[in-house]
Amino acid sequence: LWNFWWLKYSYLEGLPSNINSTIVAPFGVNYFRFSIFPLWEFLNKWSSILMGNIITYNLEVISSFILARLFMYKLVHFLTDNSLSAVLSGIIYAYCPYHFVRTWQHLGLAQIQWMPLYILSLFLLVREASLKRAFYAAICFYLVVSFELHYSFFMFIVSAIFILFYFSYKRFERKCFFTNIKPLIAMVAFILIFTLPNIFAMVNNAISVTQADNSGGYGLVRAFEDLFTQSARPLSYFLPAATHPVFGQFTEQFIGSNLYGLSLTEHTLYLGWVPLILSFIAFRSWRRRNGHLIVPGKKDQTFNESFFIYFFLVLAAASWLFSQPPWWNILGFKLYMPSFFMYKIAPIFRAYCRFGIVVMLAVAVLAGFGLKFILDKLKKRYVKILVTCLFSGLVLFEFWNWPPYRVIDVSATPAVYSWLKGEAQDITIAEYPLDADGINEMYKFYQAKHEKKIINGTTP
């Protein structure tokens, strides 16, 4: 909320948004020279100017649920040609516990909606290889890049998995390679063009980083040890969220253990037993129908259930591996996981447990296939709708997280801040206690009310 206020205030006062002199007065804080999310900053700034910071925040939270459900619906409807299956998959993905806990803490990580849209664009691209489809896919990737750095990194990895899977699948069709390689290269070129401002900002900010800039723990090289504390654990995916009003108390006793993980937010990766069972039904039904995995080079097999289900099984397994710690220690033998190697390439990323949302995406798609196979056995439309409603209700119960309502009342401002707003503009105030060990976000939030410089506002 304070960030949105600052975008509005700095614009209206003619101040540079990247250099904030109103906190940590008189020194101020340099938020790097360039924004790595120019599109998001642009939208937030004008939304805050036109509607205020609170409406802007609420709109971003609510829209992430609406769009995540919509784009997952579009993806699964394309894959299954079944609207009821797509409805269920949209519910699973949009209302999963991972999404909820992110909306309560990290607004960027709450923007999960662009990933299914981008994956859909990849399928559309290889189905109809053209420059127009390549352009659309690049736009979808740019939307991911514009809202969250972690998801940009994840979709880069997912793209590599997709391309390797697709060409492995079509390895006996030489014509396929030459038909699709050009649009894929074009897509990469478009992505580079669209993300050039983001890349330029990151490079320039990396050059300008100083030890002082890293004091808040947001440097470009994160501690390697964090990869262990912020990786998925065996029970992270299988225990209901600790916020569940019925089963949450059972899960709470595992928080802090090696079996579940240290963090409520980072390790809430629950996939749901109903989606997992439906995914298993999809796998079993698919194997019974096909009797095999893949028949290389078989005509018209690319865009059928075998291709789609096999890809999302691979994606679920690969994403699960990426979410693991740098290595498993098995009887003194280290079995290295992907995060160990990825850290050497991109040490800015440390929370690989966040790959759990990609696992959730794959499971949501597979669950849609599972429901489709069940509905295919039913004849009457109203029975199919009732069965879909039943599974949807079970999923919503599994992902249930209230009471309490996750609402913050920001209307009750202490009277002192209203008085302070009427004082001289050039004064500087100190909030006590000083909270010298960390950032006091409430002090910063109340600055949006009184608009005076404060000596508080960041880590030492």
Side-chain angles (χ1 to χ4, degrees):
L1 289 172
W2 177 84
N3 288 335
F4 292 164
W5 164 80
W6 170 247
L7 288 173
K8 173 183 177 179
Y9 180 80
S10 61
Y11 176 79
L12 295 179
E13 296 295 323
L15 303 172
S17 61
N18 62 298
I19 301 175
N20 192 322
S21 58
T22 66
I23 61 174
V24 201
F27 308 106
V29 172
N30 187 345
Y31 293 120
F32 296 129
R33 188 178 176 186
F34 302 96
S35 170
I36 62 173
F37 303 117
L39 174 61
W40 199 18
E41 184 175 303
F42 174 83
L43 294 174
N44 288 335
K45 180 178 74 175
W46 285 103
S47 179
S48 298
I49 291 171
L50 297 174
M51 295 181 292
N53 58 341
I54 294 172
I55 291 179
T56 296
Y57 188 94
N58 286 331
L59 281 176
E60 291 204 7
V61 170
I62 295 170
S63 65
S64 73
F65 285 95
I66 296 172
L67 294 177
R69 187 171 174 181
L70 171 65
F71 293 142
M72 177 55 75
Y73 173 91
K74 290 291 187 181
L75 172 61
V76 176
H77 190 268
F78 168 80
L79 299 174
T80 64
D81 195 25
N82 188 300
S83 59
L84 295 177
S85 297
V87 166
L88 178 66
S89 295
I91 290 173
I92 292 171
Y93 184 68
Y95 302 134
C96 66
Y98 175 100
H99 192 195
F100 275 105
V101 296
R102 293 305 175 184
T103 62
W104 302 333
Q105 185 191 56
H106 198 304
L107 193 58
L109 289 170
Q111 309 305 310
I112 67 172
Q113 63 267 28
W114 310 116
M115 290 185 284
L117 180 64
Y118 172 63
I119 292 175
L120 172 59
S121 74
L122 289 177
F123 282 112
L124 292 172
L125 176 61
V126 295
R127 185 180 73 169
E128 183 184 316
S130 67
L131 287 179
K132 185 170 80 169
R133 292 291 177 92
F135 181 82
Y136 290 158
I139 289 288
C140 294
F141 188 88
Y142 178 67
L143 287 171
V144 179
V145 172
S146 296
F147 289 83
E148 174 55 41
L149 202 58
H150 275 84
Y151 297 158
S152 308
F153 183 52
F154 295 168
M155 288 302 100
F156 173 80
I157 295 172
V158 169
S159 301
I161 294 171
F162 180 86
I163 292 171
L164 288 172
F165 177 86
Y166 179 72
F167 284 118
S168 296
Y169 183 85
K170 305 285 283 185
R171 61 186 178 274
F172 291 105
E173 298 181 30
R174 187 172 300 176
K175 181 181 177 182
C176 164
F177 178 83
F178 292 105
T179 302
N180 288 284
I181 194 66
K182 291 181 180 179
L184 286 170
I185 293 174
M187 181 189 73
V188 173
F190 284 135
I191 287 174
L192 289 174
I193 293 171
F194 295 151
T195 59
L196 198 60
N198 308 71
I199 297 170
F200 179 78
M202 290 190 65
V203 171
N204 277 276
N205 292 336
I207 294 172
S208 63
V209 163
T210 65
Q211 187 61 39
D213 292 322
N214 284 326
S215 64
Y218 300 110
L220 299 179
V221 178
R222 315 304 288 270
F224 178 75
E225 293 74 17
D226 291 346
L227 271 69
F228 292 94
T229 59
Q230 300 195 43
S231 57
R233 296 298 184 211
L235 298 181
S236 302
Y237 289 110
F238 303 111
L239 289 185
T243 55
H244 195 286
V246 178
F247 305 120
Q249 289 185 344
F250 176 77
T251 303
E252 282 181 355
Q253 62 186 322
F254 292 96
I255 296 178
S257 69
N258 286 330
L259 289 174
Y260 185 84
L262 300 176
S263 170
L264 168 67
T265 303
E266 295 292 353
H267 293 97
T268 299
L269 306 175
Y270 182 52
L271 300 173
W273 285 101
V274 173
L276 286 172
I277 290 171
L278 287 172
S279 299
F280 181 74
I281 291 173
F283 173 75
R284 291 283 295 175
S285 300
W286 165 62
R287 288 299 302 273
R288 287 174 180 173
R289 289 186 181 193
N290 290 274
H292 47 67
L293 293 179
I294 281 182
V295 178
K298 186 178 179 181
K299 186 178 180 181
D300 297 329
Q301 194 184 231
T302 303
F303 290 97
N304 62 15
E305 292 168 355
S306 180
F307 177 80
F308 295 142
I309 293 176
Y310 194 36
F311 170 73
F312 282 101
L313 285 170
V314 170
L315 181 62
S319 302
W320 179 79
L321 286 173
F322 271 97
S323 72
Q324 297 302 300
W327 59 71
W328 292 342
N329 197 331
I330 304 175
L331 300 176
F333 175 77
K334 288 183 180 180
L335 181 61
Y336 290 95
M337 293 290 107
S339 61
F340 174 83
F341 304 100
M342 297 310 298
Y343 180 80
K344 295 182 179 297
I345 300 172
I348 189 176
F349 300 104
R350 59 175 179 173
Y352 281 88
C353 57
R354 296 171 184 174
F355 236 110
I357 189 58
V358 186
V359 180
M360 184 78 261
L361 188 156
V363 168
V365 171
L366 293 170
F369 274 104
L371 178 62
K372 177 184 183 298
F373 293 147
I374 293 174
L375 297 181
D376 285 345
K377 298 178 181 179
L378 306 174
K379 295 182 178 180
K380 296 186 180 297
R381 177 69 175 176
Y382 77 90
V383 176
K384 295 182 179 182
I385 293 174
L386 287 175
V387 170
T388 303
C389 290
L390 173 63
F391 279 110
S392 298
L394 291 172
V395 168
L396 290 172
F397 175 75
E398 280 200 284
F399 295 167
W400 190 22
N401 57 63
W402 55 270
Y405 291 98
R406 308 291 169 169
V407 175
I408 300 173
D409 183 1
V410 296
S411 63
T413 303
V416 65
Y417 296 114
S418 299
W419 163 80
L420 189 61
K421 183 174 177 62
E423 294 300 297
Q425 187 65 30
D426 60 346
I427 65 174
T428 299
I429 68 169
E431 295 270 13
Y432 285 89
L434 288 174
D435 286 352
D437 292 333
I439 305 171
N440 191 311
E441 298 293 351
M442 288 308 299
Y443 292 168
K444 291 172 66 178
F445 172 71
Y446 288 133
Q447 186 186 41
K449 302 292 184 179
H450 60 70
E451 299 182 350
K452 300 295 186 294
K453 295 180 180 180
I454 59 177
I455 71 169
N456 316 77
T458 190
T459 48

